[in-house]
Amino acid sequence: MKLGLIAGNGRFPFLVLDAARAQGYDVTIIAAREETFPELADAAARHGSAIHWISLGQLGACVSLLQQAGVTHAVMAGQVKHTKIFSGGIVPDLLFLRVLTELRSKNTDGLIGGVANVLRERGIELIDSTALLGPLLARPGVLARRPPTAEEQKDFDFGYRMADQVAALDIGQTIAVRQQAVVAVEAMEGTDEVIARAGRLAGPGVAIVKVAKPRQDMRFDVPVVGVATIRAMQDVGASALSIDAGKTLMLDGDAVIAAADAAGITIVGRPTT
């Protein structure tokens, strides 16, 4: 099968490319010039995969390139900062402008869902972004060496109720809690910035709760943590991280756990249905 990889920033696109090629897929990459790590070009060359660099907002070019390559299914991997919509970082072409004008709201589900609909109209089905990376999904239970303390578990239990509501409203997927009080809530800024802000506000001992949406569309905006997440926590003395098992990708999972163990950070996979 010919697979399209629509790539943003981070390690996620590299892992999807490696997994897709290992499973025999012919991959065509569409990379966001303003976001995607330039090293993805080297990875594409190693795999013999075509890569095309386009600017954010060039949805028409994205669709045309995928169609020319004979792609019938595509996967989105990597982050594109949502704030670029408001900062002038996206100059929409006519097709993307149509998507924007038809949106009721410019939250993540609305925006990427609109792009997914356009792809489907043109014969390209967006598939589960974790379909090729099953082993990297978080397991339930304590994942790091150290289990949470009683106080950290209280913060988790308190935080789940708040984080689930925030995620259900498609505001964000991460909150920071200390002593059963919400310290910081994610909106468009991303997890690492929430962690940094929580550290400034509440100091060491903050617990980070990252959840999937109650009706998480696994085609896009899947929760992701990596070594950078642990480093951000270590920088501010955050001590505990909870993620949703089966719905959160741990990029370079062994390295994430090793970094957490070295920093004395506990990681828990919350069981999900």
Side-chain angles (χ1 to χ4, degrees), residues 40 140 222 233 239:
L40 189 60
V222 175
M233 293 179 64
S239 62

Side-chain angles (χ1 to χ4, degrees), residues 13-229:
F14 294 82
L15 297 172
V16 170
L17 175 59
D18 289 344
R21 291 296 295 160
Q23 295 177 39
Y25 290 98
D26 180 1
V27 182
T28 295
I29 305 168
I30 308 297
R33 186 176 289 114
E34 299 87 349
E35 293 282 350
T36 309
F37 290 175
E39 294 82 4
L40 189 60
D42 297 329
R46 288 196 303 271
H47 286 296
S49 294
I51 183 168
H52 305 277
W53 296 86
I54 65 173
S55 291
L56 294 172
Q58 291 185 304
L59 182 57
C62 174
V63 171
S64 295
L65 289 166
L66 293 175
Q67 289 178 323
Q68 290 167 18
V71 166
T72 56
H73 293 76
V75 60
M76 287 185 175
Q79 184 186 39
V80 172
K81 294 181 180 65
H82 201 154
T83 53
K84 288 185 180 292
I85 295 175
F86 304 102
S87 64
I90 295 178
V91 179
D93 62 12
L94 289 177
L95 185 57
F96 193 41
L97 188 61
R98 193 200 91 184
V99 171
L100 292 174
T101 56
E102 291 178 355
L103 292 178
R104 293 183 178 179
S105 63
K106 292 183 176 65
N107 58 16
T108 302
D109 280 356
L111 180 60
I112 307 181
V115 172
N117 290 338
V118 166
L119 291 172
R120 184 184 299 112
E121 289 169 3
R122 286 155 175 77
I124 301 167
E125 191 68 30
L126 199 62
I127 64 174
D128 181 344
S129 61
T130 69
L132 301 170
L133 300 175
L136 296 182
L137 288 169
R139 306 184 313 276
V142 178
L143 304 178
R145 182 186 303 130
R146 180 178 73 80
T149 65
E151 187 64 25
E152 288 167 342
Q153 189 60 55
K154 287 180 183 178
D155 281 345
F156 284 159
D157 293 339
F158 173 84
Y160 293 143
R161 292 183 286 116
M162 309 301 171
D164 287 340
Q165 292 297 317
V166 171
L169 294 170
D170 198 19
I171 295 171
Q173 296 172 300
T174 304
I175 69 167
V177 178
R178 187 168 183 206
Q179 297 178 3
Q180 294 86 68
V182 175
V183 176
V185 177
E186 179 187 30
M188 289 187 180
E189 72 274 39
T191 301
D192 291 355
E193 291 194 30
V194 173
I195 295 169
R197 189 167 77 250
R200 292 194 300 271
L201 292 171
V206 170
I208 305 300
V209 178
K210 190 174 183 72
V211 301
K213 298 168 188 173
R215 292 177 295 278
Q216 180 70 51
D217 190 329
M218 298 299 284
R219 297 176 302 168
F220 47 79
D221 202 30
V222 175
V224 174
V225 296
V227 173
T229 310

